Amino acid sequence: MARLFGTDGVRGLANRDVTAELALDLSVAAAHVLADTGAFAGHRPFAVVGRDPRASGEFLSAAVVAGLASAGIDVLDVGVLPTPAVAYLTAARGADLGVMLSASHNAMPDNGIKFFARGGHKLDDVIEDTIEQRLREPWKRPTGAAVGRVRQDGAAAEDYVAHLLAVLPHRLDGVHLVVDCAHGAASVVAPALLTAAGARVDVIGGEPDGLNINEGYGSTHMGNLQAAVVQHGADLGVALDGDADRCLAVDAGGELVDGDQIMAVLALALRERQALTDDTLVATVMSNLGLLQAMEREGIVVEQTAVGDRYVLERMRSGGFTLGGEQSGHVILSDHGTTGDGMLTALLLASQVAQTGRPLGDLAGVMRRLPQVMVNVADVDKARAADDEHVQAAVREAEFELAGQGRVLLRPSGTEPLVRVMVEAGEAEHAKIVADRLAVVVKARLAL
């Protein structure tokens, strides 16, 4: 049986895969598992619960709150807020558990459930597996005054914005930017934050109605932001995703600045402030070869992990590193947060533009992004990708063909039923030819 938890919580089609019943049962199981670890010893436990604006989040968050309260956990409902805000508030409020209802950058029909432990850190694999094993087990229900109580936290958004402003190294006065909120969880707080930091702000994708999250806007749909930056004559643009744990950017000419380039800019900025621990950046195997080459030139070490922010976080925590992230724009600054934070990333990126007086395109020019082609091969048995001899032989052949001037990465998706084939090469056309050829082999060998 496939593992219920993926690389970023439980995710799937809302009301079919991710149901109210599952949300309630997961919450009860999580409460029991954490209680058995001693997390609630000596005090009455409480949890922070938030969501993005998807319509399904309304009933799913209600189910989570009901499950937790029925298990004797008090609940602080913070409403619609970004995932990193829920992680921050879990730590700041001293909560024993945090829960976020979101499918991040996925389309509106999907939703997901993410858990945070005390301190705002994502649960590790062992705890998640234990929660799954204990789903729907018999249990003794608390009654009377032992049941959990539920209250709203009206100061949550204001406190989160104040937290981010407190870490701003240089105000954004004189910077004109466009922010794309993906009709998502940051539609209110992102413009408020950037304006309070001193920027002149134009907003797109900032009118969530429960149905339009990530639809044509946000970090997975950059076209509208690219056009808006040029149209408004802005210095830069920043795009968040539905739950605002990611940030991509656009320079004044409308050119994309991806997560790798953002990490390169921030790595140099942090090193300049002597805040880049051991002059090391943590990235995944999906990061562009151009990032590795640029950081090597600058004397910055890049440590690579498996794909997924949880693995970046694990390496950052074990090594005490301060900066890590993914090409997707999921950037983690561990001095200020426990998970990727798109708003913090946007704030620090714009701050570097303001402080240096250099255009974003100039700053991002520290690295040359090698052409990278990604082909998603659907309806295949992704579990067999690493073991099939014909597939692996095709990968070795492609790597020999690229002869050190590019690379190949083939991996199963952690959140979707498909295999991703990624190829980098000196020329885009060459990368496409190799990727398409590998995709044909994967489909032929692993088709369901």
Side-chain angles (χ1 to χ4, degrees), residues 280-423:
T280 297
L281 166 67
V282 181
T284 77
V285 293
M286 287 293 289
S287 278
N288 194 278
L289 184 59
L291 174 64
L292 308 184
Q293 294 170 340
M295 293 297 93
E296 184 178 10
R297 286 194 307 270
E298 296 291 335
I300 292 175
V301 176
V302 179
E303 294 212 7
Q304 291 185 278
T305 73
V307 175
D309 70 290
R310 68 185 306 118
Y311 304 114
V312 174
L313 268 167
E314 285 173 6
R315 183 66 193 106
M316 291 177 69
R317 292 180 71 182
S318 66
F321 302 123
T322 47
L323 177 64
E326 300 181 278
Q327 187 185 69
S328 62
H330 201 128
V331 177
I332 303 159
L333 294 122
S334 62
D335 280 349
H336 311 301
T338 59
T339 187
D341 190 331
M343 289 169 53
L344 175 61
T345 301
L347 193 67
L348 295 185
L349 188 66
S351 178
Q352 189 65 4
V353 170
Q355 184 169 1
T356 63
R358 295 170 60 189
L360 177 58
D362 184 31
L363 293 172
V366 66
M367 69 165 278
R368 173 182 175 263
R369 189 171 58 218
L370 269 66
Q372 188 179 77
V373 172
M374 177 83 76
V375 179
N376 292 327
V377 187
D379 301 320
V380 295
D381 183 358
K382 63 182 182 180
R384 293 194 293 116
D387 299 323
D388 187 274
E389 293 182 4
H390 290 79
V391 170
Q392 293 305 313
V395 170
R396 289 192 296 272
E397 181 182 341
E399 289 173 334
F400 180 79
E401 179 181 334
L402 294 170
Q405 301 304 307
R407 64 185 182 123
V408 175
L409 182 65
L410 185 148
R411 71 173 188 92
S413 168
T415 57
E416 299 173 81
L418 50 83
V419 169
R420 304 191 195 280
V421 178
M422 187 274 284
V423 176

Side-chain angles (χ1 to χ4, degrees), residues 189-212:
V189 291
L193 168 70
L194 295 166
T195 300
R200 172 186 168 194
V201 181
D202 291 304
V203 181
I204 64 173
E207 300 177 357
D209 61 9
L211 306 177
N212 60 358

Side-chain angles (χ1 to χ4, degrees), residues 14 50-63 101-102 110-111 210:
R51 65 180 179 90
D52 72 23
R54 293 167 208 265
S56 60
E58 297 167 3
F59 72 80
L60 288 173
S61 64
L101 286 301
S102 177
D110 287 350
N111 216 321

